Amino acid sequence: TNAIRRAYAVGTRDSTGRPGRNYWQLRTDYSIDVTLDAPASRLSGKARITLHNNSTDSLMAIAFRLDPNHFIGTNPRAATWTPAENTEGIVITRLAIDGRVVNLNAVPPAPAGRGSGAPVPLTEPLLVNSRSTVARLLLAKAIAAKTDAKIEIDWNHKLPGGPGIGHRMTQRWADTLYQPTQWFPRVAVYDDLRGWDSELYLGPSEFYNNFGSFDVNINVPAGWIVSGTGVLQNPDQVLTAKARAQLSKVLSTDSMTTIVGPDEIGPGQATAVGDATGRLTWRFHADTVNDFAWATAKQFVWQATRATIPTKGAVPINLLFLPGNASRFARAGEIGRHALEFYSKQWFPYQFPQLTLQDGPSAGMEYPMVINSNQGAADHETGHQWWPMVVSNNETMYGWMDEGFNQYMNVLSDADAAKRAPVLDGRGQSYGTISGNEAEPPMMWNANYAGPAFYGFQTYSKTPLMLSALGGVVGDSAVQRAHKEWATAWMFKHPSPWDYMFFMNKALGRDLGWFWYAWLFTTESVDGRIDKVAVAGMRTSVTVKQDGQMPSPVVLEVKFAAAGPAIRPMKNAVMTDSATAVVTFPVDVWFDGSRTFVANLVFGGRKIEKVTLDPQKRFPDRNVNDNVWVRVEKP
């Protein structure tokens, strides 16, 4: 596309799939003070944000992501996502940029008409679209390239509660447990591909955030336990002596340690006593993360165990849950430990100092160092600590690059936990039963608009089928090796699909343009079949027909009679046992536009009893019943 061509031209990205010599990205550092008014279910916050303009551009505007505005009833939403309640959204009461107070109530300037010349410069900064999930701060003075800007925002909003449908649509249980997510004004991503990210938050499709540091002070009633992204900075002020003593044991054992038990409730039992107003402020710090999430409850049970990360050592895994949900967390620590350790070996070592599983209405959602999950989704949500929390793609535009990659690696993790080999056969072939449905968008279609019928398939399910098919071309171990190298190259950066495609091409040593085009940009299938088999002396000719638009290698499994002359080797064949060979003809056999390919098998005089097309079931096929030929002896 034009965006990636421009990036290549200016050197921010490279056709090898690696970051270019001129690659840049913004950094945003946050210092936030937030107070929870539990009876009113309301957050009030003050944020100080340092925007580091590492780009080569002067910025005349700043885009803000105001996700709480999703709960304003007049804003656009995805058809299948139902917020728990309508609210007034996020209420910004003060905004300043480099000390200049922003006009929050100004009428946006009219766009310059054709032939009217340059727009009139602003005399003061203006905030526009403040009721949308994407607002824009128009600046009177540009933020020059390679300089910083200081932003101050005061805001408040209600956390929605009640029955809702979809993750993040409910953020509290009554007024005793809160699970704030996307709860503060975030500076949107400005990148080398499209400039400001202006995609609306509609509910299902997720995020694209800058990396930076967070210093967050969370003020809640004493007795309420707080967990969140980052490391607690003031345990001496908010925890009891007993809790601190229990925490000191966590890294020395794989056993579960109870920090705060179900009977320890209220100030002086669950937490420190609190100040004169009966409140406590919990201080957290996180560095080089792309978001901050937290949870708090009047009666959390807090348990902890550890994971041992290669090259890094032990990190704590915290579990915080309501006493009545203990059974849902009974195996959460074990599953979280396995996920952290397995994915650290599979891709790269876990990058953060802790992991926390938080109970609440959203039981399947991920943020840096935090997963809102019980044991049911613990493996999947932990996997997100690799993408998008470290390898941070644009999930709204290309959800398959985080959810889909995650679904693939969950297959590997599940198999490892069960102490068996992963089963990737069959997955690629199964796409043939779906291909051709007019409602299906291609994977490169914006996930916001994938539609209610196919959002889950496009974003989550199709990628494992694609990578299964790629394994059928180059081998599963090669796919995983190349993917690991790509992930390492893009740690704490923002890769695009083109970066992934071209990196994989280079790492795998072949041009896979035909593969990426078919899987990512179309909804086509292979739809191959064995049309006929002819035997003439020592030659068996297998005619394969291709009725679909997706090319694939021609892979034939050949079963020989148990006895007979010695089997002569073929250079493109591999014997899998004494009477079975797998013969592979490269995908190039279709590139001349032919729909028919004759595979000549010359193995000597041993009779061939059976031929199977695509024996590992890796390539999409509408009808698998025409993939097998069996010798029938004439009477």
Side-chain angles (χ1 to χ4, degrees):
T1 64
N2 293 337
I4 197 72
R5 290 177 187 274
R6 286 193 299 267
Y8 290 164
V10 299
T12 56
R13 296 172 195 253
D14 192 276
S15 59
T16 63
R18 293 182 176 273
R21 65 190 182 281
N22 298 324
Y23 179 80
W24 53 261
Q25 61 192 38
L26 301 191
R27 179 183 173 95
T28 49
D29 296 325
Y30 291 81
S31 177
I32 302 174
D33 296 306
V34 63
T35 298
L36 170 66
D37 179 350
S41 298
R42 198 165 198 87
L43 293 182
S44 298
K46 295 177 181 291
R48 295 159 299 285
I49 308 168
T50 302
L51 188 162
H52 303 274
N53 180 14
N54 298 323
S55 79
T56 54
D57 303 327
S58 291
L59 304 179
M60 286 303 303
I62 302 172
F64 285 96
R65 306 211 65 87
L66 305 179
D67 288 1
N69 284 341
H70 180 75
F71 298 96
I72 299 174
T74 54
N75 275 341
R77 298 167 176 169
T80 55
W81 247 237
T82 305
E85 64 176 313
N86 288 329
T87 73
E88 78 275 53
I90 192 166
V91 180
I92 296 175
T93 56
R94 181 179 181 272
L95 175 60
I97 174 85
D98 289 332
R100 295 195 68 181
V101 175
V102 175
N103 188 333
L104 303 178
N105 302 304
V107 176
R114 181 176 296 179
S116 63
V120 177
L122 297 178
T123 59
E124 61 178 346
L126 310 177
L127 183 67
V128 298
N129 298 328
S130 63
R131 309 306 290 152
S132 171
T133 55
V134 180
R136 193 164 289 243
L137 172 58
L138 306 180
L139 302 176
K141 179 183 177 182
I143 305 170
K146 311 304 179 184
T147 66
D148 299 343
K150 304 288 186 181
I151 303 164
E152 301 170 56
I153 306 179
D154 297 354
W155 83 96
N156 63 85
H157 69 276
K158 184 180 181 183
L159 296 173
I165 299 174
H167 293 308
R168 308 173 295 277
M169 297 298 98
T170 301
Q171 297 187 14
R172 62 183 170 90
W173 279 330
D175 59 355
T176 57
L177 181 148
Y178 293 87
Q179 205 181 42
T181 51
Q182 292 117 259
W183 54 277
F184 60 95
R186 295 178 294 180
V187 174
V189 170
Y190 182 88
D191 67 19
D192 59 313
L193 297 178
R194 296 180 188 85
W196 288 111
D197 175 30
S198 59
E199 290 294 320
L200 297 176
Y201 175 49
L202 301 181
S205 58
E206 294 177 0
F207 322 116
Y208 188 31
N209 293 330
N210 299 298
F211 286 102
S213 65
F214 283 82
D215 287 287
V216 180
N217 303 323
I218 303 170
N219 184 267
V220 299
W224 289 53
I225 295 174
V226 180
S227 60
T229 298
V231 175
L232 181 64
Q233 299 296 294
N234 61 335
D236 291 349
Q237 297 174 17
V238 297
L239 302 182
T240 64
K242 177 184 175 183
R244 297 196 301 272
Q246 291 295 93
L247 273 176
S248 69
K249 303 174 184 177
V250 170
L251 296 184
S252 62
T253 176
D254 284 348
S255 299
M256 190 65 67
T257 301
T258 297
I259 313 304
V260 177
D263 298 326
E264 296 174 296
I265 303 169
Q269 295 292 315
T271 70
V273 174
D275 61 19
T277 65
R279 301 182 68 87
L280 288 170
T281 298
W282 297 61
R283 305 183 187 281
F284 292 89
H285 174 76
D287 193 26
T288 317
V289 294
N290 57 13
D291 210 344
F292 189 103
W294 55 285
T296 186
K298 193 173 185 177
Q299 193 181 356
F300 261 153
V301 175
W302 181 358
Q303 295 180 335
T305 184
R306 70 176 181 182
T308 303
I309 308 302
T311 74
K312 185 173 185 177
V315 299
I317 301 174
N318 300 294
L319 315 177
L320 292 101
F321 54 89
L322 297 186
N325 291 338
S327 63
R328 298 178 183 176
F329 285 81
R331 297 186 57 242
E334 170 192 343
I335 295 170
R337 175 189 304 117
H338 175 268
L340 287 179
E341 294 176 353
F342 176 77
Y343 296 137
S344 291
K345 295 172 186 173
Q346 182 73 27
W347 310 123
F348 51 75
Y350 182 59
Q351 293 296 295
F352 302 123
Q354 60 94 21
L355 177 71
T356 297
L357 286 74
Q358 301 177 154
D359 198 1
S362 180
M365 193 55 220
E366 72 282 353
Y367 298 92
M369 301 185 225
V370 162
I371 60 176
N372 292 341
S373 178
N374 54 45
Q375 62 203 24
D379 181 83
H380 176 86
E381 305 307 338
T382 301
H384 280 303
Q385 300 302 314
W386 277 260
W387 23 83
M389 301 312 161
V390 174
V391 183
S392 182
N393 70 289
N394 186 332
E395 299 174 68
T396 308
M397 294 289 292
Y398 314 112
W400 60 271
M401 288 185 71
D402 78 297
E403 297 293 358
F405 287 159
N406 201 348
Q407 292 287 100
Y408 176 78
M409 72 185 198
N410 297 158
V411 175
L412 310 180
S413 178
D414 289 347
D416 185 79
K419 301 188 181 337
R420 58 171 173 78
V423 178
L424 294 166
D425 289 353
R427 295 176 185 270
Q429 187 182 83
S430 69
Y431 177 60
T433 62
I434 297 166
S435 172
N437 189 314
E438 290 179 88
E440 183 199 349
M443 289 169 70
M444 290 294 284
W445 190 258
N446 186 314
N448 254 345
Y449 310 110
F454 272 96
Y455 166 77
F457 180 76
Q458 180 221 31
T459 304
Y460 289 77
S461 302
K462 191 174 178 181
T463 303
L465 312 187
M466 177 182 76
L467 295 181
S468 165
L470 184 58
V473 178
V474 301
D476 295 325
S477 60
V479 172
Q480 292 159 31
R481 172 192 56 77
H483 194 96
K484 176 178 181 176
E485 293 171 5
W486 166 79
T488 303
W490 284 94
M491 288 171 64
F492 299 109
K493 295 181 177 67
H494 299 307
S496 75
W498 293 270
D499 301 314
Y500 181 74
M501 290 183 278
F502 288 121
F503 191 102
M504 294 293 281
N505 286 0
K506 183 123 180 122
L508 294 169
R510 62 179 75 191
D511 181 358
L512 292 164
W514 60 272
F515 181 89
W516 305 121
Y517 173 74
W519 276 96
L520 294 175
F521 294 88
T522 81
T523 58
E524 300 291 352
S525 67
V526 171
D527 203 11
R529 58 190 167 93
I530 295 178
D531 187 54
K532 62 182 178 181
V533 175
V535 179
M538 293 187 180
R539 180 189 300 271
T540 299
S541 297
V542 181
T543 300
V544 176
K545 292 226 170 179
Q546 160 74 288
D547 294 328
Q549 298 294 323
M550 178 190 288
S552 74
V554 177
V555 183
L556 300 173
E557 181 184 72
V558 182
K559 291 278 189 181
F560 299 94
I567 298 170
R568 181 188 302 170
M570 282 183 64
K571 65 179 181 180
N572 57 331
V574 174
M575 297 298 298
T576 58
D577 61 39
S578 60
T580 307
V582 174
V583 191
T584 302
F585 299 88
V587 69
D588 310 49
V589 301
W590 305 113
F591 287 174
D592 65 356
S594 173
R595 292 294 186 150
T596 301
F597 172 70
V598 178
N600 291 311
L601 309 179
V602 184
F603 285 101
R606 181 83 65 97
K607 279 186 178 180
I608 295 174
E609 302 287 353
K610 181 180 179 182
V611 179
T612 302
L613 174 65
D614 187 17
Q616 291 184 298
K617 302 177 174 60
R618 295 296 183 116
F619 308 114
D621 203 338
R622 297 186 198 282
N623 179 15
V624 299
N625 296 318
D626 54 14
N627 287 10
V628 179
W629 172 85
V630 178
R631 174 186 291 275
V632 177
E633 296 290 352
K634 295 181 180 180

